[in-house]
Amino acid sequence: MDKRKTILMSFATATPIGFLGGLMGLGGAEFRLPVLVGIFKYKAHKAIALNLAVSLVTIISSLIFRLPSTNLNHLFPLWLIILSLLGGSMTGAYMGAYFSHKVSEASLKTVILLLLVLIGLLMIIEGFYPLVPQSAPAHYTVISTLIGVLLGLGIGFVSSMLGVAGGELIIPTLILVFGVDIKIAGTASLFISLPTIVIGILKHASHGVYQEKKDITDLVLPMGIGSIIGAFLGTSLITRVSGSFMKLLLGFILIASALKLFLKRNSE
């Protein structure tokens, strides 16, 4: 693929993914990774590293665009649970990296497949018939904080194995376990995902993955620009899209991710 086509394709594929990131509070890594491997023909390791770089741009721009329309009175009371999920997910990510070569990939993918489908179905049901009262509590108990850490461990472990930030699991956790409104959960998810992505980028940078200038100028830069534009368009619709619709959309995204994982497994 020549340079001009690479730049145009990078921009074109990143914009709709950035749109989802802005609307839902996702980094979009699980949708971008097949593009990097399938269309741009990057090997998996390098694709994951470049994917993280674009995800960082998507998450930062989504945060910048989402915060003005976010009710901070609902976000501030979540600080303790955000920290517990963050601490758990970072520890889980480390554990996932350690055990990545010790767990059967086929078994792991089967578990993740079933988990994503189950959570996706729960989100679709939640979209039609709320399972949990949607309200941000003013405080959390020690038990709920411990639950946040434990769930964060699982999210970080799975995210590390898949090379993504984990927003697809963080948002349903905040909604189904802690009763957070989906729009607030999306913003909180971005705060939780951000440090994990930064750590991943630093790890890959230490191995010299970002040294090729062409990868940055022809792919990461145009994808970053597309992500910013997409994130702006997505966040501009937050106040116009109902929470029920966003839950349905998230449910279908989770199931689509699971099917993609299943089809990839069968093709290997």
Side-chain angles (χ1 to χ4, degrees), residues 173-196:
T173 297
L174 290 169
I175 295 171
L176 297 174
V177 179
F178 299 103
V180 180
D181 177 79
I182 186 170
K183 297 178 183 181
I184 300 298
T187 303
S189 171
L190 293 172
F191 279 112
I192 297 169
S193 300
L194 186 58
T196 305

Side-chain angles (χ1 to χ4, degrees), residues 20-22 24-28 30-31 58-59 62 167-168 171 190 250 253:
L20 282 177
M24 303 299 301
L26 305 172
E30 72 287 353
F31 296 105
T58 305
I59 287 177
S62 295
E168 294 76 11
I171 296 175
L190 293 172
L250 179 58
I253 288 174

Side-chain angles (χ1 to χ4, degrees), residues 207-249:
H207 294 145
V209 179
Y210 302 112
Q211 289 183 350
E212 290 191 32
K213 184 179 178 181
K214 185 177 72 170
D215 294 333
I216 305 301
T217 58
D218 297 358
L219 186 104
V220 174
L221 183 59
M223 272 195 166
I225 294 172
S227 297
I228 292 172
I229 294 174
F232 173 76
L233 295 174
T235 53
S236 67
L237 293 179
I238 292 177
T239 57
R240 300 185 178 122
V241 177
S242 68
S244 296
F245 175 79
M246 292 177 70
K247 291 174 187 176
L248 292 173
L249 180 59

Side-chain angles (χ1 to χ4, degrees), residues 13-161:
T13 54
T15 303
I17 296 174
F19 177 86
L20 282 177
L23 180 63
M24 303 299 301
L26 305 172
E30 72 287 353
F31 296 105
R32 201 180 299 107
L33 188 58
V35 171
L36 292 171
V37 175
I39 296 179
F40 296 101
K41 307 302 180 183
Y42 281 102
K43 292 183 179 180
H45 179 73
K46 191 163 190 177
I48 289 173
L50 296 175
N51 197 8
L52 287 173
V54 181
S55 292
L56 180 62
V57 176
T58 305
I59 287 177
I60 290 176
S61 56
S62 295
L63 268 174
I64 292 173
F65 296 137
R66 285 176 74 99
L67 283 177
S69 61
T70 300
N71 189 337
L72 297 181
N73 290 329
H74 291 162
L75 185 61
F76 286 145
L78 300 176
W79 70 270
L80 186 57
I81 206 62
I82 288 174
L83 290 178
S84 64
L85 284 170
L86 176 60
S89 65
M90 293 179 70
T91 305
Y94 178 83
M95 293 170 58
Y98 178 78
F99 286 105
S100 59
H101 301 295
K102 300 178 181 293
V103 180
S104 166
E105 185 174 355
S107 299
L108 178 66
K109 285 185 176 180
T110 299
V111 172
I112 295 173
L113 168 68
L114 295 175
L115 178 65
L116 290 177
V117 169
L118 175 61
I119 296 175
L121 290 174
L122 286 174
M123 291 308 305
I124 292 173
I125 294 172
E126 174 78 14
F128 288 108
Y129 181 78
L131 302 173
V132 180
Q134 300 298 298
S135 61
H139 65 278
Y140 293 95
T141 65
V142 174
I143 294 178
S144 63
T145 304
L146 291 175
I147 290 174
V149 172
L150 292 175
L151 291 173
L153 285 170
I155 292 169
F157 186 87
V158 172
S159 301
S160 177
M161 291 291 190

